[in-house]
């Protein structure tokens, strides 16, 4: 991940240096910083193993999210209709199919990130009556990423409860959909005192804070960074004039509290608890064409090749947690040029797993009493 140049104090992987000038131009045009634009690309783009962002992501699937910024057709249409965007200025005479294909060209995708962020901020400010333009560029990037996921209507509903706030059932259903697991949603809810609405909001804030990390794209290290980026909760509090809410309990602490209190609901039903290995789990596609290929099972080469793991993305130094109580072993590399590095093994008894995970394993392994979880370093 070598830094080749330091123009604008922007740190990029060697393979992404070709995007530097375009990133800097888009940042200046849309009152952001290059680090903010780079962070938004890094949050969405698929990457090769060396960290190079793929501008041709999903090129064979025009109805899906495509390109560096993973724009769906509807969002790209909004950018096409924005007079300030490079797409609008250069491609007005093109057919819809032609200008939709520009999602795969880096200069339009990068400019589109800034244009879409600016458009969403403007619409959000008009709807919420919050002074979003007064925020620092790194704060604007976080607001833009939240708007990218929830839209203006969804963000106003989430942050202001307008025109009607989410009900508890709606909030837990949305959190379940995001996490793809009711059990995980219940675990997050425990962190927020059993409040589904606060859990949904808090989980999204946490996602934004982890995804939009401007320090990762700054040449100076974190200790020398002049203005550390604020947590999303603090940004929203500054817009409302309120005191930032306290940080939620860590998942382990929240789950342990529930398990130790006979009157508290158990996330698993039997006191056993599952922890995701990362606070926010995101599929790492690397050089693969889609996220399905990074999942476990018959997912490669048109489902003819078996993938024996689940690839998750994490920056260096990210804490990794044990998924359950168990014993740890380290399997050293068998020879110097072994491709995968050392292997960390966590052996877990099935009785230490929640029923959902235990039942899934027993389905194919009825006689086994333990399961091994492996992580290659």
């Amino acid at each position: 991940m070598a830094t080749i140049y330091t123009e604008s104090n922007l740190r990029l992987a060697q393979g992404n240096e070709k995007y530097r000038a375009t990133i800097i131009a888009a940042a200046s045009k849309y009152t952001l910083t290059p680090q903010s634009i780079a962070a938004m690309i890094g949050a969405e783009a698929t990457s090769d193993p060396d960290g190079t962002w793929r501008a041709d992501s999903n090129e064979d699937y025009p109805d899906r999210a495509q390109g560096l910024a993973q724009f769906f057709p509807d969002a790209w249409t909004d950018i096409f209709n924005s007079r300030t965007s490079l797409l609008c200025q250069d491609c007005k005479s093109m057919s819809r199919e032609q200008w939709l294909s520009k999602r795969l060209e880096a200069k339009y995708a990068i400019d589109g990130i800034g244009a879409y962020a600016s458009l969403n901020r403007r619409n959000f400010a008009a709807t919420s009556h919050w002074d979003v333009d007064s925020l620092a560029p790194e704060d604007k990037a976080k607001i833009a990423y939240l708007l990218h996921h929830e839209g203006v209507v969804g963000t106003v509903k989430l942050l202001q409860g307008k025109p009607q706030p989410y009900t508890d059932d709606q909030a837990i259903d949305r959190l379940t959909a995001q996490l793809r697991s009711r059990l995980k949603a219940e675990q997050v809810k425990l962190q927020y005192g059993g409040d589904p609405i606060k859990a949904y909001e808090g989980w999204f804030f946490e996602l934004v804070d982890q995804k939009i990390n401007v320090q990762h794209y700054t040449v100076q290290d974190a200790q020398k960074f002049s203005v550390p980026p604020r947590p999303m909760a603090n940004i929203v509090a500054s817009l409302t004039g309120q005191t930032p809410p306290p940080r939620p309990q860590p998942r382990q602490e929240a789950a342990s509290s529930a398990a130790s209190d006979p009157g508290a609901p158990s996330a698993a039903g039997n006191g056993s608890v599952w922890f995701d290995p990362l606070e926010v789990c995101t599929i790492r596609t690397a050089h693969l064409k889609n996220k399905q290929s990074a999942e476990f099972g018959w997912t490669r080469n048109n489902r003819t090749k078996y993938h024996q793991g689940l690839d998750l993305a994490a920056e260096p130094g990210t804490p990794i947690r044990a998924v359950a109580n168990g014993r740890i072993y380290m399997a050293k590399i068998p020879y110097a040029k072994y491709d995968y590095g050392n292997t960390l093994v966590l052996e877990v008894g099935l009785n230490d797993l929640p029923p959902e995970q235990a039942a899934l394993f027993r389905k194919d392994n009825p006689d086994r009493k333990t399961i091994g979880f492996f992580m290659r370093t």
Side-chain angles (χ1 to χ4, degrees):
M1 304 289 282
T3 300
I4 307 303
Y5 307 108
T6 60
E7 184 183 359
S8 296
N9 202 28
L10 176 63
R11 183 170 78 93
L12 294 172
Q14 182 175 350
N16 295 329
E17 284 295 334
K18 57 191 174 187
Y19 304 129
R20 178 180 292 273
T22 310
I23 290 172
I24 292 172
S28 175
K29 181 178 178 181
Y30 297 106
T31 65
L32 291 164
T33 62
Q35 292 77 13
S36 297
I37 294 282
M40 286 192 278
I41 298 172
E44 292 294 312
T46 57
S47 303
D48 288 333
D50 65 354
T52 300
W53 298 322
R54 293 186 63 89
D56 61 352
S57 175
N58 278 338
E59 63 177 329
D60 296 329
Y61 303 96
D63 292 334
R64 298 182 186 177
Q66 284 189 327
L68 284 177
Q70 293 290 284
F71 278 115
F72 282 99
D74 285 350
W76 198 243
T77 300
D78 289 340
I79 295 168
F80 177 74
N81 291 325
S82 174
R83 294 181 180 180
T84 61
S85 73
L86 188 63
L87 182 70
C88 177
Q89 294 165 2
D90 289 359
C91 307
K92 270 295 186 182
S93 62
M94 294 183 181
S95 68
R96 185 174 189 274
E97 182 180 3
Q98 287 175 319
W99 56 256
L100 276 176
S101 70
K102 296 299 181 181
R103 288 178 290 172
L104 301 171
E105 292 189 30
K107 69 175 183 178
Y108 293 110
I110 293 171
D111 183 85
I113 289 172
Y116 196 56
S118 177
L119 177 66
N120 278 338
R121 287 201 322 266
R122 186 167 62 249
N123 291 338
F124 176 66
T127 304
S128 67
H129 304 292
W130 286 355
D131 187 12
V132 181
D133 283 340
S134 67
L135 295 174
E138 58 271 16
D139 293 347
K140 290 180 182 178
K142 289 190 174 185
I143 291 288
Y145 191 69
L146 182 63
L147 288 164
H148 182 81
H149 275 269
E150 289 290 272
V152 173
V153 173
T155 301
V156 170
K157 187 177 182 71
L158 178 66
L159 300 184
Q160 295 184 322
K162 297 179 180 179
Q164 294 91 26
Y166 283 116
T167 65
D168 287 353
D169 287 343
Q170 288 173 335
I172 200 68
D173 286 346
R174 291 182 71 84
L175 185 57
T176 299
Q178 291 287 345
L179 297 172
R180 299 182 182 181
S181 168
R182 184 74 176 206
L183 176 61
K184 293 178 183 178
E186 292 292 341
Q187 289 177 336
V188 174
K189 188 175 78 172
L190 287 176
Q191 290 182 269
Y192 292 86
D195 187 325
I197 298 173
K198 289 183 179 177
Y200 183 50
E201 179 186 81
W203 178 85
F204 243 121
F205 286 1
E206 195 172 84
L207 176 71
V208 173
D209 287 337
Q210 292 206 19
K211 287 285 190 178
I212 306 303
N213 182 1
V214 296
Q215 288 179 307
H216 181 69
Y217 299 96
T218 303
V219 176
Q220 294 174 328
D221 59 30
Q223 288 74 27
K224 295 180 181 178
F225 194 57
S226 58
V227 182
R230 295 189 295 173
M232 188 68 198
N234 293 53
I235 296 170
V236 172
S238 71
L239 291 169
T240 61
Q242 299 175 354
T243 302
R247 298 287 293 176
Q249 294 186 70
R251 288 190 191 177
Q252 293 94 326
E253 182 180 336
S256 298
S257 298
S260 62
D261 181 357
S266 169
N270 67 347
S272 300
V273 179
W274 172 272
F275 302 114
D276 287 341
L278 300 173
E279 194 67 32
V280 176
C281 292
T282 303
I283 294 293
R284 174 184 174 272
T285 52
H287 60 288
L288 304 171
K289 282 195 173 183
N290 55 56
K291 291 184 176 181
Q292 287 75 23
S293 297
E295 295 178 354
F296 185 86
W298 295 96
T299 59
R300 301 283 177 88
N301 297 353
N302 293 322
R303 300 190 180 278
T304 62
K305 183 178 178 182
Y306 199 81
H307 182 221
Q308 298 182 348
L310 181 68
D311 299 338
L312 298 177
E315 301 292 349
T318 300
I320 301 173
R321 300 171 303 191
V323 296
N325 291 332
R327 294 182 177 181
I328 293 176
Y329 305 88
M330 177 65 78
K332 297 291 186 180
I333 56 173
Y335 48 88
K337 294 186 178 181
Y338 184 66
D339 289 337
Y340 298 109
N342 297 329
T343 300
L344 185 70
V345 182
L346 175 67
E347 184 183 26
V348 177
L350 293 190
N351 290 335
D352 288 322
L353 287 176
E356 180 181 342
Q357 281 81 7
L360 187 65
F361 180 69
R362 286 193 178 103
K363 181 179 178 181
D364 295 322
N365 304 274
D367 300 325
R368 296 295 299 273
K369 295 183 179 180
T370 63
I371 178 174
F373 296 92
F374 302 85
M375 183 189 72
R376 286 172 173 156
T377 60

mmCIF file of all heavy atoms in Angstrom, residues 39-67:
data_model
loop_
_atom_site.group_PDB
_atom_site.id
_atom_site.type_symbol
_atom_site.label_atom_id
_atom_site.label_comp_id
_atom_site.label_asym_id
_atom_site.label_seq_id
_atom_site.Cartn_x
_atom_site.Cartn_y
_atom_site.Cartn_z
ATOM 1 N N ALA A 39 -12.506 8.228 0.931
ATOM 2 C CA ALA A 39 -13.163 7.371 1.915
ATOM 3 C C ALA A 39 -14.489 6.848 1.396
ATOM 4 O O ALA A 39 -14.845 5.681 1.628
ATOM 5 C CB ALA A 39 -13.367 8.131 3.222
ATOM 6 N N MET A 40 -15.244 7.685 0.686
ATOM 7 C CA MET A 40 -16.522 7.240 0.133
ATOM 8 C C MET A 40 -16.312 6.215 -0.981
ATOM 9 O O MET A 40 -17.096 5.269 -1.119
ATOM 10 C CB MET A 40 -17.329 8.440 -0.356
ATOM 11 C CG MET A 40 -17.923 9.262 0.784
ATOM 12 S SD MET A 40 -19.155 10.489 0.256
ATOM 13 C CE MET A 40 -18.074 11.825 -0.255
ATOM 14 N N ILE A 41 -15.252 6.379 -1.769
ATOM 15 C CA ILE A 41 -14.936 5.360 -2.767
ATOM 16 C C ILE A 41 -14.546 4.056 -2.071
ATOM 17 O O ILE A 41 -15.045 2.974 -2.399
ATOM 18 C CB ILE A 41 -13.789 5.813 -3.685
ATOM 19 C CG1 ILE A 41 -14.170 7.059 -4.470
ATOM 20 C CG2 ILE A 41 -13.414 4.693 -4.662
ATOM 21 C CD1 ILE A 41 -13.019 7.663 -5.256
ATOM 22 N N GLY A 42 -13.658 4.169 -1.087
ATOM 23 C CA GLY A 42 -13.195 2.984 -0.384
ATOM 24 C C GLY A 42 -14.307 2.231 0.310
ATOM 25 O O GLY A 42 -14.245 1.000 0.460
ATOM 26 N N ALA A 43 -15.355 2.955 0.734
ATOM 27 C CA ALA A 43 -16.474 2.313 1.418
ATOM 28 C C ALA A 43 -17.325 1.486 0.465
ATOM 29 O O ALA A 43 -17.985 0.539 0.883
ATOM 30 C CB ALA A 43 -17.342 3.367 2.094
ATOM 31 N N GLU A 44 -17.318 1.831 -0.819
ATOM 32 C CA GLU A 44 -18.215 1.181 -1.770
ATOM 33 C C GLU A 44 -17.500 0.300 -2.791
ATOM 34 O O GLU A 44 -18.043 -0.708 -3.233
ATOM 35 C CB GLU A 44 -19.023 2.250 -2.525
ATOM 36 C CG GLU A 44 -20.034 2.996 -1.661
ATOM 37 C CD GLU A 44 -21.142 2.085 -1.181
ATOM 38 O OE1 GLU A 44 -21.707 1.336 -1.989
ATOM 39 O OE2 GLU A 44 -21.443 2.111 0.031
ATOM 40 N N ALA A 45 -16.289 0.672 -3.189
ATOM 41 C CA ALA A 45 -15.639 0.013 -4.317
ATOM 42 C C ALA A 45 -15.200 -1.407 -3.975
ATOM 43 O O ALA A 45 -14.825 -1.706 -2.845
ATOM 44 C CB ALA A 45 -14.423 0.831 -4.762
ATOM 45 N N THR A 46 -15.250 -2.283 -4.965
ATOM 46 C CA THR A 46 -14.581 -3.576 -4.853
ATOM 47 C C THR A 46 -13.108 -3.364 -5.196
ATOM 48 O O THR A 46 -12.755 -2.456 -5.958
ATOM 49 C CB THR A 46 -15.203 -4.607 -5.791
ATOM 50 O OG1 THR A 46 -15.139 -4.110 -7.142
ATOM 51 C CG2 THR A 46 -16.656 -4.876 -5.432
ATOM 52 N N SER A 47 -12.252 -4.192 -4.622
ATOM 53 C CA SER A 47 -10.812 -3.977 -4.759
ATOM 54 C C SER A 47 -10.086 -5.253 -5.136
ATOM 55 O O SER A 47 -10.524 -6.360 -4.803
ATOM 56 C CB SER A 47 -10.225 -3.449 -3.440
ATOM 57 O OG SER A 47 -10.849 -2.260 -3.029
ATOM 58 N N ASP A 48 -8.973 -5.076 -5.831
ATOM 59 C CA ASP A 48 -8.065 -6.192 -6.079
ATOM 60 C C ASP A 48 -7.284 -6.485 -4.793
ATOM 61 O O ASP A 48 -7.298 -5.679 -3.850
ATOM 62 C CB ASP A 48 -7.093 -5.830 -7.206
ATOM 63 C CG ASP A 48 -7.793 -5.802 -8.568
ATOM 64 O OD1 ASP A 48 -8.797 -6.522 -8.732
ATOM 65 O OD2 ASP A 48 -7.331 -5.052 -9.454
ATOM 66 N N PRO A 49 -6.592 -7.627 -4.723
ATOM 67 C CA PRO A 49 -5.845 -7.954 -3.501
ATOM 68 C C PRO A 49 -4.837 -6.901 -3.069
ATOM 69 O O PRO A 49 -4.544 -6.774 -1.879
ATOM 70 C CB PRO A 49 -5.145 -9.271 -3.873
ATOM 71 C CG PRO A 49 -6.041 -9.898 -4.884
ATOM 72 C CD PRO A 49 -6.577 -8.748 -5.696
ATOM 73 N N ASP A 50 -4.305 -6.116 -4.006
ATOM 74 C CA ASP A 50 -3.324 -5.086 -3.643
ATOM 75 C C ASP A 50 -3.981 -3.775 -3.222
ATOM 76 O O ASP A 50 -3.300 -2.786 -2.984
ATOM 77 C CB ASP A 50 -2.350 -4.839 -4.793
ATOM 78 C CG ASP A 50 -3.023 -4.257 -6.039
ATOM 79 O OD1 ASP A 50 -4.272 -4.144 -6.052
ATOM 80 O OD2 ASP A 50 -2.301 -3.921 -7.003
ATOM 81 N N GLY A 51 -5.318 -3.750 -3.133
ATOM 82 C CA GLY A 51 -6.015 -2.550 -2.708
ATOM 83 C C GLY A 51 -6.467 -1.642 -3.825
ATOM 84 O O GLY A 51 -7.074 -0.597 -3.569
ATOM 85 N N THR A 52 -6.204 -2.015 -5.079
ATOM 86 C CA THR A 52 -6.608 -1.181 -6.205
ATOM 87 C C THR A 52 -8.119 -1.280 -6.409
ATOM 88 O O THR A 52 -8.682 -2.368 -6.511
ATOM 89 C CB THR A 52 -5.898 -1.629 -7.494
ATOM 90 O OG1 THR A 52 -4.484 -1.507 -7.312
ATOM 91 C CG2 THR A 52 -6.325 -0.753 -8.676
ATOM 92 N N TRP A 53 -8.773 -0.124 -6.482
ATOM 93 C CA TRP A 53 -10.215 -0.085 -6.694
ATOM 94 C C TRP A 53 -10.550 -0.471 -8.136
ATOM 95 O O TRP A 53 -9.865 -0.073 -9.077
ATOM 96 C CB TRP A 53 -10.757 1.315 -6.424
ATOM 97 C CG TRP A 53 -10.571 1.784 -5.019
ATOM 98 C CD1 TRP A 53 -10.684 1.041 -3.880
ATOM 99 C CD2 TRP A 53 -10.221 3.113 -4.593
ATOM 100 N NE1 TRP A 53 -10.446 1.817 -2.775
ATOM 101 C CE2 TRP A 53 -10.167 3.090 -3.183
ATOM 102 C CE3 TRP A 53 -9.975 4.303 -5.260
ATOM 103 C CZ2 TRP A 53 -9.857 4.226 -2.437
ATOM 104 C CZ3 TRP A 53 -9.666 5.434 -4.525
ATOM 105 C CH2 TRP A 53 -9.613 5.389 -3.140
ATOM 106 N N ARG A 54 -11.632 -1.207 -8.308
ATOM 107 C CA ARG A 54 -12.045 -1.669 -9.636
ATOM 108 C C ARG A 54 -13.131 -0.751 -10.193
ATOM 109 O O ARG A 54 -14.242 -0.686 -9.659
ATOM 110 C CB ARG A 54 -12.559 -3.097 -9.566
ATOM 111 C CG ARG A 54 -11.482 -4.124 -9.228
ATOM 112 C CD ARG A 54 -12.057 -5.531 -9.317
ATOM 113 N NE ARG A 54 -12.502 -5.846 -10.668
ATOM 114 C CZ ARG A 54 -11.736 -6.388 -11.606
ATOM 115 N NH1 ARG A 54 -10.471 -6.664 -11.333
ATOM 116 N NH2 ARG A 54 -12.218 -6.663 -12.797
ATOM 117 N N ALA A 55 -12.804 -0.056 -11.271
ATOM 118 C CA ALA A 55 -13.778 0.831 -11.908
ATOM 119 C C ALA A 55 -14.821 0.046 -12.705
ATOM 120 O O ALA A 55 -15.884 0.581 -13.024
ATOM 121 C CB ALA A 55 -13.060 1.818 -12.825
ATOM 122 N N ASP A 56 -14.521 -1.217 -13.034
ATOM 123 C CA ASP A 56 -15.427 -2.012 -13.872
ATOM 124 C C ASP A 56 -16.281 -2.977 -13.060
ATOM 125 O O ASP A 56 -16.808 -3.951 -13.593
ATOM 126 C CB ASP A 56 -14.631 -2.791 -14.912
ATOM 127 C CG ASP A 56 -13.642 -3.772 -14.277
ATOM 128 O OD1 ASP A 56 -13.453 -3.743 -13.043
ATOM 129 O OD2 ASP A 56 -13.051 -4.589 -15.021
ATOM 130 N N SER A 57 -16.458 -2.715 -11.783
ATOM 131 C CA SER A 57 -17.227 -3.612 -10.926
ATOM 132 C C SER A 57 -18.648 -3.811 -11.445
ATOM 133 O O SER A 57 -19.347 -2.856 -11.770
ATOM 134 C CB SER A 57 -17.275 -3.033 -9.504
ATOM 135 O OG SER A 57 -18.099 -3.808 -8.674
ATOM 136 N N ASN A 58 -19.053 -5.081 -11.555
ATOM 137 C CA ASN A 58 -20.403 -5.458 -12.021
ATOM 138 C C ASN A 58 -20.692 -4.989 -13.443
ATOM 139 O O ASN A 58 -21.840 -4.712 -13.785
ATOM 140 C CB ASN A 58 -21.480 -4.912 -11.071
ATOM 141 C CG ASN A 58 -21.685 -5.798 -9.854
ATOM 142 O OD1 ASN A 58 -21.370 -6.979 -9.865
ATOM 143 N ND2 ASN A 58 -22.214 -5.221 -8.799
ATOM 144 N N GLU A 59 -19.678 -4.941 -14.287
ATOM 145 C CA GLU A 59 -19.886 -4.423 -15.639
ATOM 146 C C GLU A 59 -20.871 -5.271 -16.451
ATOM 147 O O GLU A 59 -21.506 -4.770 -17.390
ATOM 148 C CB GLU A 59 -18.556 -4.323 -16.389
ATOM 149 C CG GLU A 59 -17.847 -5.639 -16.628
ATOM 150 C CD GLU A 59 -16.565 -5.460 -17.439
ATOM 151 O OE1 GLU A 59 -16.532 -4.530 -18.259
ATOM 152 O OE2 GLU A 59 -15.618 -6.254 -17.252
ATOM 153 N N ASP A 60 -21.032 -6.534 -16.112
ATOM 154 C CA ASP A 60 -21.954 -7.400 -16.853
ATOM 155 C C ASP A 60 -23.380 -7.343 -16.320
ATOM 156 O O ASP A 60 -24.258 -8.060 -16.820
ATOM 157 C CB ASP A 60 -21.454 -8.851 -16.805
ATOM 158 C CG ASP A 60 -20.117 -9.030 -17.496
ATOM 159 O OD1 ASP A 60 -19.858 -8.281 -18.464
ATOM 160 O OD2 ASP A 60 -19.329 -9.897 -17.072
ATOM 161 N N TYR A 61 -23.618 -6.507 -15.301
ATOM 162 C CA TYR A 61 -24.941 -6.448 -14.674
ATOM 163 C C TYR A 61 -25.410 -4.988 -14.589
ATOM 164 O O TYR A 61 -25.353 -4.359 -13.537
ATOM 165 C CB TYR A 61 -24.886 -7.069 -13.275
ATOM 166 C CG TYR A 61 -24.379 -8.491 -13.274
ATOM 167 C CD1 TYR A 61 -23.029 -8.763 -13.025
ATOM 168 C CD2 TYR A 61 -25.229 -9.556 -13.535
ATOM 169 C CE1 TYR A 61 -22.554 -10.061 -13.031
ATOM 170 C CE2 TYR A 61 -24.765 -10.858 -13.538
ATOM 171 C CZ TYR A 61 -23.421 -11.102 -13.289
ATOM 172 O OH TYR A 61 -22.952 -12.392 -13.293
ATOM 173 N N PRO A 62 -25.898 -4.428 -15.700
ATOM 174 C CA PRO A 62 -26.264 -3.003 -15.727
ATOM 175 C C PRO A 62 -27.407 -2.622 -14.794
ATOM 176 O O PRO A 62 -27.556 -1.446 -14.457
ATOM 177 C CB PRO A 62 -26.656 -2.772 -17.197
ATOM 178 C CG PRO A 62 -26.980 -4.131 -17.739
ATOM 179 C CD PRO A 62 -26.086 -5.077 -17.010
ATOM 180 N N ASP A 63 -28.226 -3.586 -14.371
ATOM 181 C CA ASP A 63 -29.326 -3.271 -13.464
ATOM 182 C C ASP A 63 -28.895 -3.231 -12.005
ATOM 183 O O ASP A 63 -29.673 -2.847 -11.130
ATOM 184 C CB ASP A 63 -30.462 -4.289 -13.623
ATOM 185 C CG ASP A 63 -31.150 -4.178 -14.976
ATOM 186 O OD1 ASP A 63 -31.112 -3.082 -15.561
ATOM 187 O OD2 ASP A 63 -31.701 -5.190 -15.446
ATOM 188 N N ARG A 64 -27.655 -3.633 -11.745
ATOM 189 C CA ARG A 64 -27.132 -3.627 -10.379
ATOM 190 C C ARG A 64 -26.296 -2.368 -10.147
ATOM 191 O O ARG A 64 -26.101 -1.549 -11.038
ATOM 192 C CB ARG A 64 -26.282 -4.876 -10.125
ATOM 193 C CG ARG A 64 -27.045 -6.181 -10.244
ATOM 194 C CD ARG A 64 -26.128 -7.345 -9.924
ATOM 195 N NE ARG A 64 -26.771 -8.638 -10.150
ATOM 196 C CZ ARG A 64 -26.156 -9.811 -9.997
ATOM 197 N NH1 ARG A 64 -24.889 -9.857 -9.632
ATOM 198 N NH2 ARG A 64 -26.811 -10.940 -10.233
ATOM 199 N N ALA A 65 -25.785 -2.249 -8.927
ATOM 200 C CA ALA A 65 -24.861 -1.153 -8.622
ATOM 201 C C ALA A 65 -23.546 -1.404 -9.357
ATOM 202 O O ALA A 65 -23.016 -2.513 -9.316
ATOM 203 C CB ALA A 65 -24.623 -1.065 -7.121
ATOM 204 N N GLN A 66 -23.022 -0.373 -10.004
ATOM 205 C CA GLN A 66 -21.831 -0.536 -10.828
ATOM 206 C C GLN A 66 -20.763 0.500 -10.499
ATOM 207 O O GLN A 66 -21.048 1.574 -9.970
ATOM 208 C CB GLN A 66 -22.188 -0.401 -12.312
ATOM 209 C CG GLN A 66 -22.887 -1.597 -12.926
ATOM 210 C CD GLN A 66 -22.998 -1.447 -14.440
ATOM 211 O OE1 GLN A 66 -23.147 -0.351 -14.967
ATOM 212 N NE2 GLN A 66 -22.930 -2.561 -15.152
ATOM 213 N N GLY A 67 -19.524 0.152 -10.847
ATOM 214 C CA GLY A 67 -18.429 1.098 -10.847
ATOM 215 C C GLY A 67 -17.788 1.352 -9.498
ATOM 216 O O GLY A 67 -18.056 0.658 -8.518
#
